Structure formats: C-alpha cells, structure tokens
Amino acid sequence: MNRNKVVRAELDQLMRESLLDNATHCRLSALYPLGHWDWRSLGRWFLIFGAVAAAAGAVISLRDVFVPSLWHLAVLLALVTGGMFITGWRLRKRSWPWSCRTAELLGGFALIGLSFVLGMIYSTGSGNWPALLLIDLVMLLVLSYALNNILLLTLSAVVFFSWFGGVTGYSSGWNAYWFGMNYPLRFLVASTFIALVGLLHLKAELGPLAAYRSFSKVWISFGLFLTEMALWLLSIFGNFAEIDGPLHEAGAGELAIFNLAWAALNLGLVLAGIRQSYRMLRGYGVTFFIIQAYTLFFTRISEHLGWLASLMIAGGSALGLALWLEKQRRERREDVPS
C-alpha cells in the first residue's frame, strides 16, 4: 500500500473517531492524493491468489498419482496444517507480514479439510456436515485473534456463510441452501447482528481491541453484504415462510415494504459514509442502490417495454453513469493541489 493511501486511511479513521473535524479532514486529505495504481496492493493479492492456486494444484496432482486412505489423508492434512502455521510463525519473525498471513490462511484451509476427513472417519451416519463447519468456525475465529490475521477472519466469514445456510437447510429438511430461497429473512436478522458487532468492534478498537484495528472492516463488510443480498432476494420474491406449502406469491404491499427497507438502508449507508468519511459504506450504498434500480426496472418495467427498448434504456443509463463517474473522478483530481 502506498504512503498516501496509508495516510488517507488514517485520516479517515481519525474522522470516524471524532478526532478531526470535516474541514480539517478535507484540508489534510488534499495534501495526499491517491496514485493511479497501487502496485504493492496488487502484489499482495497476487501473493494470496498464487499461494491458494499452488496449493490447490498440488492437491490435485497428488490425487492423480496417489490415492490415500482416509487415515493417511488425515495424517497428511494434520502435517500440512501444522507446517503452514509453523511457516507463518517463522515468516512473522522475519517481518514478512503478508507472506505470514497467507501461510496461516493455507493452514486454515487445511484445517477445514482435516475436520471433514475426521468427520468421515468417525461418521455416525447422521449426515450433519454443518456441525463440522461450526467447529471450524470457532477454531478459525480463535486463531484469527490469537495470530492477529485478518485473512483468517475473512475465511471465518466465508465458513459462517456456509455453516448458517447449511444448518438452516439441514434443520428444516429442505436440503437447499440460501439461494434456494431458504429463509432469507433469517440471513437478514443474522447479518444485522454481525454488522452491529462490527460497529461495536470499531468502537472497541479505540481501547481494548486496538491491536485489531482493521478487523472491524471485515465484520461490518460481511454483515452489510449479507444484509444487502437478503434484502435483494426479499425485494424480488418476498419472504418464503413455508417450505412444504405452495409457491409463495408475494403481494405488492409485502414487496413494497422490503424495497423501501432496502432503499432506506442504502440511503443511510451513503449518508453515513459521507459523514464519517467511510468509503466502504458509501461504496455499498451506491452499488446496491444501482442494483436495486436495475432490479426494479427488469422485474417491473421492462416486460411492458419489450426487450429492445429495455436493453437500450439499461445500456444507455449504464454508459451515462460510467461517463458521469469518470467526470467526477477527473474533477476531483484537478481540484487536488499539486
């Protein structure tokens, strides 16, 4: 991450902590314009992607030449898990932070694989695979904070997504996941709670959780993503309250309530992001506000206009939006003093 981006992130954080007023924040931010391309950030993502891809390739190659028993596979995964965390510890001592976090991330993946192999070895025939993910979730959360690894926390969020959808489908007997319309309202409640935990985490980072200053972004971002996705589905189909009943035909009033709630959320995110200088909130609000507009257009209006007129309107509006955003970006760059 380049120096100006680091400084801008710190200024944004001070703004959210009410240590800078808006005028001072704007004046100081103008002194640190962002560059055209962040090569170091790109390299960090290539490091993570390369490590995960190389590990996946190694596993596939090993499977082609060697078919281990479950016990052999469990021992191998245990060795890989321990080896990755030991490698992370050594890289941490050498002050290679992102290489260290990436090695620990691979250890987290191996840990998930180990839990499932042990689950198959000691299976009682219940088929309760979400329970294994819950165990993984607890261990990964503990490791995330014990090792101060934001990548492991991100993996924990993915595991929670899989576990919550899985346990909902498993306990209901529907054997379907979230995108099978498996109670999106439950995800809305859970995601709201996660986002609130993220806000509390952000406040606690001023005191007892100061060592985990960036972790709140993962909590807040994950909670907002699930909230947005749940409201997206609810705004189209309404709330599926019955699994075994007939297809749920949501009324206009029900869909209007969910659409208004979704629009209010995105408007609130944009205003909060502007007021607190929190670009992530603005990004979520603007992005999903646009998604909502296009969703309403294609589900409620386009069928009355025909496919040709609908595509022309949708494409033209997208092109106009892109040009307007580019104009705004150029004007902001020109306003920054050299």
Side-chain angles (χ1 to χ4, degrees):
M1 184 179 293
N2 60 40
R3 186 196 66 165
N4 284 11
K5 193 170 183 179
V6 173
V7 174
R8 290 283 288 269
E10 290 296 320
L11 291 174
D12 291 345
Q13 182 69 22
L14 292 174
M15 175 78 171
R16 291 192 290 273
E17 296 170 1
S18 301
L19 298 178
L20 286 180
D21 56 37
N22 186 59
T24 304
H25 174 270
C26 293
R27 187 172 66 254
L28 293 176
S29 296
L31 300 177
Y32 299 94
L34 298 179
H36 298 289
W37 197 262
D38 191 349
W39 289 102
R40 299 179 69 178
S41 178
L42 181 64
R44 182 170 68 236
W45 285 109
F46 270 121
L47 170 67
I48 297 170
F49 173 77
V52 173
V59 171
I60 295 173
S61 300
L62 181 63
R63 187 188 64 179
D64 291 339
V65 299
F66 176 60
V67 182
S69 67
L70 288 178
W71 275 111
H72 289 153
L73 186 58
V75 172
L76 177 62
L77 285 172
L79 292 175
V80 171
T81 302
M84 287 294 99
F85 283 110
I86 291 174
T87 300
W89 172 70
R90 290 183 175 179
L91 290 172
R92 191 183 300 273
K93 292 183 65 175
R94 295 184 180 182
S95 299
W96 289 14
W98 281 102
S99 298
C100 158
R101 292 171 186 142
T102 303
E104 291 167 351
L105 175 65
L106 293 177
F109 280 116
L111 180 63
I112 295 173
L114 176 61
S115 70
F116 272 83
V117 171
L118 291 176
M120 288 186 285
I121 293 174
Y122 294 104
S123 175
T124 61
S126 67
N128 187 9
W129 58 268
L132 299 174
L133 287 176
L134 179 59
I135 296 173
D136 292 332
L137 176 61
V138 173
M139 290 191 294
L140 288 172
L141 280 175
V142 172
L143 288 170
S144 299
Y145 282 86
L147 300 174
N148 198 354
N149 190 330
I150 195 170
L151 296 182
L152 283 177
L153 184 62
T154 305
L155 179 60
S156 301
V158 175
V159 171
F160 172 85
F161 182 81
S162 303
W163 165 75
F164 192 78
V167 76
T168 301
Y170 175 79
S171 63
S172 67
W174 198 10
N175 296 323
Y177 193 63
W178 185 28
F179 292 107
M181 292 308 300
N182 190 3
Y183 295 157
L185 195 60
R186 292 187 181 184
F187 271 89
L188 180 60
V189 174
S191 60
T192 302
F193 174 76
I194 292 171
L196 291 176
V197 169
L199 292 176
L200 293 176
H201 200 292
L202 179 62
K203 297 296 183 182
E205 288 172 6
L206 299 175
L209 296 181
Y212 309 101
R213 191 172 185 183
S214 58
F215 278 33
S216 62
K217 293 182 180 179
V218 176
W219 285 95
I220 295 173
S221 179
F222 181 60
L224 288 178
F225 175 76
L226 292 186
T227 300
E228 297 279 9
M229 294 300 294
L231 285 172
W232 189 9
L233 292 175
L234 289 167
S235 70
I236 299 174
F237 304 104
N239 178 39
F240 273 55
E242 296 292 337
I243 291 177
D244 299 324
L247 179 64
H248 177 68
E249 294 289 348
E254 179 183 352
L255 296 180
I257 290 174
F258 286 123
N259 271 282
L260 289 174
W262 194 17
L265 170 67
N266 290 323
L267 180 60
L269 289 176
V270 172
L271 294 177
I274 294 174
R275 184 171 182 178
Q276 299 296 324
S277 190
Y278 209 158
R279 285 176 292 175
M280 184 179 72
L281 298 185
R282 293 201 306 269
Y284 267 108
V286 172
T287 299
F288 281 93
F289 195 85
I290 294 173
I291 289 175
Q292 182 177 18
Y294 276 96
T295 300
L296 288 172
F297 176 77
F298 281 109
T299 57
R300 301 297 170 189
I301 301 176
S302 63
E303 60 181 342
H304 303 292
L305 299 177
W307 67 271
L308 181 59
S310 298
L311 290 177
M312 291 182 62
I313 293 174
S317 61
L319 180 60
L321 178 63
L323 293 174
W324 180 80
L325 290 174
E326 176 65 17
K327 179 182 177 182
Q328 295 298 312
R329 186 182 69 86
R330 289 181 177 274
E331 289 178 351
R332 285 196 298 269
R333 285 178 54 190
E334 292 172 357
D335 290 340
V336 174
S338 58

